[in-house]
Amino acid sequence: MAKILLQEQGKLLQEVTIIGDTTRIGREQLNHVQLTDPRISRYHAEIHRRGCCYTLVDKKSTNGTRLNGTPLREPATLSGNDTITLGDYTLVFQLDAADTPETVHPSTFDASATIIDTVNGQSAD
């Protein structure tokens, strides 16, 4: 499972394992990751999991969210070791090996094994 390493000024404060489809981050106690910095909005950001893909969304926070140093203007796909900055906090997103999609190399992929019936929209294997 993926996890977040919560750091403040380079010091590790907490390690949070992402177990649900949505992980909420903010000042409010109902968040999965609660941050106490007053510059953090009550519901600041969310991480959404869909299969093995993770997306970071800023929830229209007052002071914004940065992904790898760049202000987040729209939802962005997360990769291993991405840094999320909220106020004085840095969250390092880490992927577990099980969350990393398997790479298919052209030399090992047999395209003839999958045939799609375009008329009926079904696989014909």
Side-chain angles (χ1 to χ4, degrees), residues 7-87:
Q7 302 173 352
E8 185 177 24
Q9 298 174 356
K11 180 182 173 191
L12 180 64
L13 300 178
Q14 185 179 7
E15 185 175 303
V16 179
T17 301
I18 297 176
I19 55 173
D21 289 337
T22 301
T23 301
R24 290 183 301 277
I25 305 165
R27 242 183 27 248
E28 186 66 39
Q29 288 182 348
L30 297 175
N31 289 300
H32 299 100
V33 179
Q34 185 182 4
L35 307 173
T36 58
D37 186 328
R39 293 175 291 169
I40 306 296
S41 296
R42 291 183 317 134
Y43 300 102
H44 197 102
E46 291 179 345
I47 295 174
H48 297 275
R49 179 183 67 176
R50 300 293 177 261
C52 61
C53 296
Y54 294 83
T55 304
L56 177 65
V57 178
D58 182 86
K59 299 302 288 181
K60 299 182 182 175
S61 64
T62 303
N63 293 307
T65 301
R66 291 182 170 272
L67 177 60
N68 299 320
T70 303
L72 190 65
R73 306 257 186 258
E74 58 188 35
T77 301
L78 291 170
S79 299
N81 295 317
D82 277 347
T83 58
I84 303 163
T85 307
L86 309 136

Side-chain angles (χ1 to χ4, degrees), residues 51-125:
C52 61
C53 296
Y54 294 83
T55 304
L56 177 65
V57 178
D58 182 86
K59 299 302 288 181
K60 299 182 182 175
S61 64
T62 303
N63 293 307
T65 301
R66 291 182 170 272
L67 177 60
N68 299 320
T70 303
L72 190 65
R73 306 257 186 258
E74 58 188 35
T77 301
L78 291 170
S79 299
N81 295 317
D82 277 347
T83 58
I84 303 163
T85 307
L86 309 136
D88 285 338
Y89 294 98
T90 300
L91 292 80
V92 179
F93 178 78
Q94 294 191 330
L95 283 172
D96 188 75
D99 288 316
T100 305
E102 193 174 317
T103 303
V104 177
H105 298 283
S107 62
T108 61
F109 180 70
D110 181 5
S112 66
T114 303
I115 300 171
I116 306 252
D117 179 349
T118 57
V119 175
N120 297 316
Q122 297 177 353
S123 177
D125 22 6

